[in-house]
Amino acid sequence: MSSLTYLIRRKTRPLPLRFREFSSNSQKLINPTSARIEKILIANRGEIACRIIRTAKRLGIRTVAVYSDADESSLHVKSADEAVRIGPPPARLSYLSAPSIIEAASRTGAQAIHPGYGFLSESADFAQLCENEGFTFIGPPASAIRDMGDKSASKRIMGAAGVPLVPGYHGDEQDIDLMKLEADKIGYPVLIKPTHGGGGKGMRIVQSPNDFVDAFIGAQREAAASFGINTILLEKYITKPRHIEVQIFGDKYGNVIHLNERDCSVQRRHQKIIEEAPAPNISNDFRLHLGQAAVSAAKAVSYHSAGTVEFIVDTVSGQFYFMEMNTRLQVEHPVTEMIVGQDLVEWQIHVANGEPLPISQSQVPLSGHAFEARIYAENVPKGFLPATGTLHHYHPVQVSSEVRVETGVEQGDTVSMHYDPMIAKLVVWGEDRTRALIKMKDCLSKFQVGGLPTNIDFLFKLANHEAFENGEVETHFIEMHKDDLFVDPNDQLSSQVVYNAAVHSAAFAAACVCEKEHAVMKERSAGSASVWYANPPFRVNHYAKRTMELEWEDESSKGGSILVPVHVTYLPKGKYRVETGGSSSSDLELNVVHLRDHDYRVEHGGISTIVSLSVYQKDQMEHIDIWHGSCHHHFKRRKGLDLADVDESDHKSAADVASSHPPGTVVAPMAGLVVKVLVEDGANVVDGQPILVLEAMKMEHVVKATSAGCIGGLRVSAGQQVSDGIALFSIKG
């Protein structure tokens, strides 16, 4: 890959965000007598709404939030100066309801509307409606959104401009038989892709003609649910690609510049999870040509405001091809802000006011390196399926000039099935890629979320992979390195290593729980002289003992649970002896000191470790999350079943805490909406046959038969909401 050689740069000192004056004596301002924006309605939710509010407040601009019933108490509502309810939880009845948003802007006297990203941000009709109703749309012109938002149209425009395109079909005809013929011409594998929207929604990789029809229909359905438009394009699927995109920015005077590139190759389910800027392992010449192509693309549609031109890079040939243009602020825009020292939301507002860009292309800096890690509520062992639930514990890392946490939630909030499951974006900057990566690893190890499954541990493992450390990234990175990133339950050695780490955490957790409960008991019995609740509790002729049965959710076995019996003996001077098995190596003598809130210091073998513990109630169980070093484990225990003052006990096996459903039962892998039932109750099916389709957070998941047999107990129907873990049907052989 000689054309993608590594770029060696001399690094500069950290570049803080600079807020430049937007004024120019060389260009006449557009509408110089018109009023400047003083109140903005944000037609979005979550972290991007909070992000826009933050910049607006710094500029002295008042903000209006909109919210659905599901978001009534959310952070973006609390942060705005005013808030207006726009409908029930489903996005099509609230955040996608243009009339409701326009009405909210009128009622509150907002002068401008910022669409954020997603929802209506790339709707040309909405942008035009805003202008027609007298509101400034903080984004590109409706014509540019229409030209570039339609991926088929944009590819025709780029083709006419001489920008290289991936072979494919970008026509208007959507007849399934014609599309299948076009796929045959392109050659498999092909990529099915909605012509509108983004975020990987509706994308399908089709390996053979036999799979085309089902994939095409599923892509249309998902595109319609996400974007309201179900038209599809086809492309040749490049087998070893990188995803590199360029941040561009234009004003209303025809000035367009690029702010360097970002690499977004590391993805799961066609959605980015780690982005970085600048892209690793590319040459100066490659960067120059990429930036020039992006600027040419923007100028071809008279673009202004923030936009991103995405390219797919064939790592085999070293060639890049135009993929699409996102006519909005990208989720990953903070990594660009970190390396150029500019606030892109501020730029959007000033450009919307008719002001020219504050700098020229030659003035665009490139300082250091930045990463963004997207933290999602999702079940990694189940194929990264989205998760829902309450954030019982939410402690992000400390922010600074080099560490940002972009979030729209706080402790106690609920991650709903109705919207994207992203909890936060962790953004870090370093003087070079190595230093930035070290910082990201450290922050991931300290980012605490309890109450639902997340991808934090997976991100940490990914960031520590040798290939990622070397910048050897491509869009198949996770699949290529799955043996390193996931624990194979059939690999006894690696499974034992994972189990031993969990048992060690269980010992720490049990000792900290004992210390926590003792502190609570001591506080409640203040003034009491009882020796029975001293530390250690008084017992005649022996030390007090107790047994905790902690249920560990073994991620390596896709949600299986293992019971870890932990025997705790109270020793003098605040020490505990913890036994977790039959061998002497599993006996630990721990000294535990409560520091503050959820934090403890645990000393073992002369080494002192800071431990964070979160204990909360959920589903009639006590849940325990523990963090120490780079380790995080989650345990459950049934309250009231601890066995106190015993030396030995009979313990349940893991099978005793297994699912209560009878054998052959297939349960919902996630909470969601049943969009289609493909068979009838009583039907005979084969192993792997699709039975029904679930949708959650605009993503579809096909539930398949786990074995051949007869379907029974199928009572769900299209349009029905189901909970995670509920029985959907059973299969009898």
Side-chain angles (χ1 to χ4, degrees):
M1 197 166 62
S2 59
S3 62
L4 297 179
T5 54
Y6 185 72
L7 173 67
I8 300 177
R9 294 189 309 274
R10 292 186 63 85
K11 304 302 175 183
T12 61
R13 63 184 182 277
L15 187 65
L17 288 182
R18 296 194 180 102
F19 311 114
R20 299 174 184 268
E21 291 296 326
F22 274 65
S23 61
S24 173
N25 295 323
S26 61
Q27 291 174 303
K28 185 177 180 181
L29 295 181
I30 294 175
N31 299 324
T33 60
S34 64
R36 295 296 181 93
I37 295 170
E38 296 182 8
K39 180 184 280 191
I40 296 173
L41 181 140
I42 301 148
N44 218 296
R45 64 178 299 278
E47 66 88 10
I48 185 57
C50 294
R51 163 74 186 88
I52 296 165
I53 290 169
R54 190 168 64 247
T55 289
K57 282 188 174 182
R58 182 175 56 77
L59 298 176
I61 298 172
R62 294 180 61 81
T63 55
V64 180
V66 293
Y67 65 91
S68 72
D69 293 337
D71 284 339
E72 182 177 8
S73 301
S74 64
L75 187 59
H76 80 278
V77 173
K78 297 175 183 177
S79 302
D81 296 298
E82 300 172 66
V84 180
R85 176 191 179 274
I86 54 172
R92 69 182 184 279
L93 302 176
S94 51
Y95 297 105
L96 289 173
S97 175
S100 299
I101 292 170
I102 293 296
E103 181 186 1
S106 298
R107 288 172 56 193
T108 56
Q111 301 154 299
I113 296 176
H114 196 306
Y117 56 73
F119 295 129
L120 293 170
S121 64
E122 292 185 283
S123 168
D125 292 340
F126 180 65
Q128 191 62 58
L129 179 63
C130 290
E131 298 294 340
N132 292 346
E133 295 295 326
F135 299 104
T136 300
F137 181 76
I138 303 180
S143 59
I145 298 176
R146 187 169 290 109
D147 288 341
M148 302 305 279
D150 182 332
K151 294 181 177 63
S152 291
S154 68
K155 288 178 185 295
R156 290 193 291 269
I157 293 171
M158 291 301 101
V163 178
L165 300 177
V166 177
Y169 173 77
H170 312 124
D172 296 327
E173 180 59 53
Q174 295 287 299
D175 178 75
I176 192 168
D177 293 327
L178 173 66
M179 297 293 273
K180 194 170 186 302
L181 287 174
E182 292 294 336
D184 292 337
K185 293 178 186 177
I186 295 168
Y188 289 88
V190 297
L191 182 65
I192 293 176
K193 195 175 185 181
T195 59
H196 293 73
K201 295 178 174 65
M203 287 178 60
R204 302 285 193 278
I205 300 169
V206 186
Q207 299 290 347
S208 72
N210 295 335
D211 301 326
F212 183 84
V213 172
D214 288 343
F216 181 82
I217 293 173
Q220 282 190 319
R221 187 167 55 238
E222 194 171 309
S226 299
F227 315 118
I229 300 174
N230 69 347
T231 52
I232 297 296
L233 62 82
L234 306 177
E235 288 182 346
K236 176 67 178 175
Y237 184 64
I238 295 176
T239 56
K240 295 192 69 176
R242 283 180 69 177
H243 180 133
I244 300 180
E245 61 188 32
V246 179
Q247 176 72 61
I248 62 95
F249 222 105
D251 60 26
K252 296 179 181 180
Y253 304 92
N255 302 310
V256 180
I257 63 174
H258 71 82
L259 302 175
N260 302 307
E261 79 290 339
R262 301 182 287 255
D263 191 295
C264 308
S265 298
V266 180
Q267 306 176 8
R268 55 90 178 100
R269 290 195 284 111
H270 306 300
Q271 288 184 310
K272 309 160 188 173
I273 53 174
I274 293 184
E275 302 98 342
E276 58 181 300
N281 300 344
I282 69 170
S283 66
N284 272 325
D285 186 61
F286 187 87
R287 172 172 290 116
L288 176 65
H289 285 91
L290 202 66
Q292 290 174 341
V295 169
S296 297
K299 287 184 174 181
V301 291
S302 302
Y303 198 88
H304 64 249
S305 195
T308 297
V309 184
E310 299 190 349
F311 297 93
I312 188 167
V313 180
D314 187 338
T315 59
V316 176
S317 67
Q319 298 298 311
F320 67 84
Y321 303 95
F322 173 82
M323 189 160 56
E324 63 187 43
M325 182 175 185
N326 292 311
T327 53
R328 54 174 166 80
L329 196 66
Q330 286 283 84
V331 177
E332 58 273 19
H333 75 274
V335 291
T336 295
E337 292 182 323
M338 297 295 266
I339 65 166
V340 300
Q342 300 292 331
D343 182 333
L344 299 190
V345 173
E346 180 183 359
W347 279 33
Q348 286 187 299
I349 294 170
H350 287 311
V351 167
N353 270 329
E355 301 174 50
L357 294 178
I359 59 176
S360 65
Q361 187 64 66
S362 62
Q363 295 174 305
V364 175
L366 198 168
S367 175
H369 202 96
F371 284 99
E372 175 180 281
R374 301 192 193 186
I375 295 173
Y376 283 99
E378 62 185 16
N379 197 315
V380 173
K382 290 184 179 179
F384 302 96
L385 286 180
T388 60
T390 301
L391 292 165
H392 289 283
H393 180 88
Y394 184 58
H395 282 225
V397 293
Q398 185 70 36
V399 299
S400 68
S401 61
E402 299 178 4
V403 176
R404 291 168 59 174
V405 176
E406 302 288 345
T407 188
V409 298
E410 52 192 348
Q411 187 164 298
D413 283 355
T414 297
V415 177
S416 165
M417 62 169 285
H418 297 287
Y419 313 116
D420 188 90
M422 188 166 66
I423 296 171
K425 301 182 309 194
L426 169 66
V427 186
V428 302
W429 181 93
E431 293 179 356
D432 54 34
R433 189 176 189 272
T434 299
R435 292 171 182 170
L437 184 55
I438 290 172
K439 196 169 299 178
M440 182 171 72
K441 294 176 186 178
D442 180 60
C443 289
L444 285 170
S445 71
K446 295 174 180 176
F447 204 115
Q448 301 175 9
V449 179
L452 40 66
T454 75
N455 66 337
I456 295 176
D457 294 343
F458 178 78
L459 290 170
F460 181 78
K461 186 180 291 188
L462 197 157
N464 279 278
H465 195 280
E466 182 180 4
F468 186 83
E469 291 178 331
N470 293 333
E472 299 166 2
V473 292
E474 63 166 90
T475 56
H476 301 129
F477 186 92
I478 293 175
E479 177 65 23
M480 285 176 57
H481 301 289
K482 61 182 179 181
D483 292 342
D484 301 324
L485 298 173
F486 301 96
V487 177
D488 181 358
N490 298 316
D491 184 342
Q492 293 186 355
L493 181 60
S494 59
S495 294
Q496 188 64 43
V497 171
V498 172
Y499 174 75
N500 289 344
V503 169
H504 190 73
S505 286
F508 276 31
C512 289
V513 166
C514 289
E515 186 68 16
K516 173 184 173 69
E517 292 178 350
H518 167 71
V520 172
M521 187 67 67
K522 182 179 180 181
E523 184 177 338
R524 288 177 179 174
S525 60
S528 171
S530 172
V531 296
W532 302 102
Y533 299 109
N535 192 16
F538 176 77
R539 297 296 184 267
V540 179
N541 298 325
H542 71 281
Y543 290 124
K545 296 183 180 181
R546 65 185 293 189
T547 294
M548 295 185 195
E549 292 192 328
L550 301 182
E551 185 180 333
W552 169 52
E553 295 186 5
D554 181 8
E555 290 191 355
S556 66
S557 61
K558 296 188 178 181
S561 296
I562 296 176
L563 270 185
V564 182
V566 183
H567 313 286
V568 181
T569 301
Y570 293 79
L571 302 176
K573 299 181 180 179
K575 293 185 178 181
Y576 302 89
R577 182 167 61 245
V578 184
E579 304 167 62
T580 56
S583 64
S584 59
S585 61
S586 61
D587 297 351
L588 304 177
E589 188 168 305
L590 306 175
N591 185 21
V592 181
V593 177
H594 183 217
L595 300 176
R596 70 192 76 82
D597 299 328
H598 302 278
D599 296 334
Y600 300 79
R601 185 175 66 245
V602 178
E603 189 273 329
H604 167 62
I607 299 176
S608 180
T609 302
I610 300 298
V611 173
S612 294
L613 192 77
S614 176
V615 181
Y616 51 92
Q617 304 298 316
K618 177 184 173 184
D619 301 329
Q620 299 179 331
M621 298 277 285
E622 183 177 77
H623 291 248
I624 303 169
D625 280 281
I626 181 170
W627 294 266
H628 59 98
S630 60
C631 295
H632 166 236
H633 289 92
H634 173 232
F635 302 98
K636 296 185 291 186
R637 67 168 176 157
R638 299 184 185 278
K639 287 293 289 179
L641 294 185
D642 285 2
L643 306 173
D645 290 339
V646 294
D647 292 322
E648 294 182 2
S649 306
D650 293 328
H651 301 294
K652 300 174 185 177
S653 66
D656 293 326
V657 294
S659 170
S660 60
H661 298 298
T665 301
V666 177
V667 301
M670 61 183 182
L673 177 73
V674 179
V675 295
K676 191 172 183 180
V677 179
L678 305 172
V679 302
E680 295 182 355
D681 195 39
N684 290 314
V685 298
V686 298
D687 186 14
Q689 180 176 336
I691 306 300
L692 56 86
V693 180
L694 286 178
E695 179 192 278
M697 302 167 185
K698 302 179 183 178
M699 299 295 293
E700 287 192 354
H701 176 75
V702 179
V703 179
K704 300 179 180 180
T706 54
S707 63
C710 179
I711 296 292
L714 181 59
R715 301 289 184 265
V716 297
S717 57
Q720 181 177 338
Q721 300 277 359
V722 296
S723 302
D724 184 11
I726 193 172
L728 297 174
F729 56 86
S730 62
I731 304 177
K732 295 182 180 179

